[in-house]
Each structure stands twice: as structure tokens, then as C-alpha cells.
Amino acid sequence: VQLQASGGGLVQAGGSLRLSCAAFVASGRTFNSYVMGWFRQAPGKEREFVAAIGQNGYTTYYTDSVKGRFTISRDNARSRVYLQMTSLKPEDTAVYYCAADRGGLVSSNPLEYDYWGQGTLVTVSS
């Protein structure tokens, strides 16, 4: 699977952004067989889990700091996963990565994810 994230940019605190991740899946598998996740890495910090979504889109999981502000969704027909971010805070500033997991369980552990996109930078100004 090849993943391409987009949608990052500069936004003021309190603003919104929608990240998109396009998946290019090799023959023999389908996009809806992958759990999808979003992670982020701020300067000088380790990569951290943000949100994940199950194969059918019904199961979602968020880190506590983004609950109620971020929404993960997917469009299996278009092989895309999204992260709608609202009420953004300066501490949300990071490079955001989408990732795909061949396993069946929604996980926050980056080691469970098999494929990673290149990242898109989100900068939230105060």
C-alpha cells in the first residue's frame, strides 16, 4: 500500500483543517481490509497516536487530547481516509502521518501499522 497525505497548512488557533490520505493498494487486497490510523510528530517529540478507524468505518478510537475536536472517517469506495480537525490548538502543531494496518484490530500502537505515508505539516498559530 502506498499512502499520500495532504491537506496540512497554517491555521489560527480555533480554526479547522481536513486532512486527507489517499491509498494506492496493490492487487490482491482491497482498501477496506486495512485498519487506518493518523499519527503526528511534533518537533523534538516522539510520534504519537491521534486516531484510528476500523475497516468498515464503524469503530473509531481517539487519543484523549483530540476527543470531541477531531473526527476520523473513511471512504472505502475512494480508498481515502480523512481527519477533520476543529478547534485547533497550538499544541496540535505537528507533521501528521496516515498509516495502514493489515491486522484486524483498531490499535494506537504505531508498531502495529505496516505502511506509512510521507506526512503533511499542520501549523497552528496562537
Side-chain angles (χ1 to χ4, degrees):
V1 177
Q2 290 186 327
L3 302 172
Q4 186 170 0
S6 61
L10 175 63
V11 63
Q12 289 188 331
S16 299
L17 279 176
R18 188 174 86 148
L19 305 184
S20 178
C21 177
F24 302 92
V25 182
S27 61
R29 292 192 70 112
T30 56
F31 177 70
N32 61 10
S33 66
Y34 294 90
V35 170
M36 298 299 297
W38 286 97
F39 293 77
R40 66 187 179 186
Q41 187 167 17
K45 296 188 176 181
E46 293 186 353
R47 189 171 298 188
E48 67 169 350
F49 169 75
V50 177
I53 188 166
Q55 292 93 328
N56 58 16
Y58 296 135
T59 301
T60 58
Y61 181 34
Y62 299 91
T63 192
D64 286 346
S65 63
V66 308
K67 284 180 181 177
R69 300 190 298 122
F70 291 10
T71 302
I72 188 171
S73 61
R74 65 189 297 161
D75 183 343
N76 286 340
R78 299 186 64 197
S79 298
R80 288 182 179 267
V81 62
Y82 305 99
L83 186 68
Q84 179 68 50
M85 306 185 293
T86 63
S87 301
L88 283 161
K89 304 175 181 180
E91 51 264 42
D92 294 317
T93 295
V95 176
Y96 283 71
Y97 299 88
C98 60
D101 175 8
R102 293 174 296 187
L105 299 178
V106 174
S107 174
S108 63
N109 184 352
L111 297 178
E112 297 289 333
Y113 288 80
D114 305 291
Y115 305 98
W116 293 82
Q118 85 287 0
T120 185
L121 176 63
V122 172
T123 304
V124 184
S125 63
S126 57

